[in-house]
Amino acid sequence: MSYCQELAPATILFFAPPYYPAINSTEDDLIQEKIKLTQETLKKECDVDAKQVHYFNGISDLSYVNYDKHDEGWRAYKLNTPAWGSVYSIPFEGMQKLQAPVLNIGPFGKDAHKLTERLHKESAFVHTPLVLRKVVESMFVHYMSV
């Protein structure tokens, strides 16, 4: 409002950066394969029954590699972000071309990004590294055989 000299009632609408679009790769065959590998590894190696959870609990850099190629919502975001082009921009069109499926594997915890945040140590420092190693190694095996 400091830039507007109007004295009448007003509604101000703008979006502040950063923007992370919601994405979902659940239906991707490769992702389903890696979810199964993750669950099998956790059961066999750690006796942990893991289940797939469909949620977006926060912002993620993964959003930048699988942005819906049919989504035009970024145009409204671009038009309503005051600093667009001068101090902030996102390569939306490039993101839409990439279309890489994503899977977020991480440790169990509670209250992420809050003062009460806590992390299950065994999940973070034993289970997650084990699963990540297996999934990454399986990607190399998969693509080396193609």
Side-chain angles (χ1 to χ4, degrees):
M1 287 298 292
S2 62
Y3 293 110
C4 179
Q5 299 303 311
E6 293 291 325
L7 298 175
T11 300
I12 300 171
L13 174 65
F14 69 91
F15 301 118
Y19 174 71
Y20 291 83
I23 60 167
N24 188 334
S25 298
T26 302
E27 302 301 321
D28 187 88
D29 291 340
L30 179 63
I31 296 302
Q32 284 298 313
E33 176 188 315
K34 300 312 168 192
I35 290 169
K36 184 177 179 186
L37 174 62
T38 297
Q39 292 169 325
E40 289 171 352
T41 300
L42 285 170
K43 184 63 179 172
K44 180 180 175 188
E45 305 287 333
C46 308
D47 196 30
V48 170
D49 290 315
K51 60 185 171 192
Q52 181 179 358
V53 178
H54 300 274
Y55 69 103
F56 186 74
N57 70 338
I59 59 176
S60 171
D61 291 339
L62 297 174
S63 298
Y64 286 95
V65 298
N66 194 4
Y67 187 47
D68 182 357
K69 61 184 169 188
H70 303 293
D71 188 339
E72 294 291 321
W74 62 270
R75 294 181 193 275
Y77 178 82
K78 180 178 172 181
L79 291 172
N80 288 285
T81 302
W84 189 266
S86 60
V87 296
Y88 186 75
S89 64
I90 300 173
F92 287 110
E93 289 140 332
M95 290 164 42
Q96 288 176 313
K97 290 176 185 172
L98 189 52
Q99 296 300 297
V102 300
L103 173 63
N104 196 353
I105 298 174
F108 177 73
K110 294 279 188 182
D111 296 341
H113 309 294
K114 296 180 183 175
L115 188 59
T116 55
E117 179 176 4
R118 52 212 185 274
L119 189 62
H120 188 275
K121 289 194 308 187
E122 188 173 5
S123 174
F125 301 113
V126 177
H127 302 163
T128 300
L130 172 72
V131 169
L132 288 174
R133 190 184 92 245
K134 292 273 190 184
V135 169
V136 170
E137 286 175 351
S138 76
M139 295 298 292
F140 284 104
V141 170
H142 175 82
Y143 286 105
M144 297 290 273
S145 64
V146 174

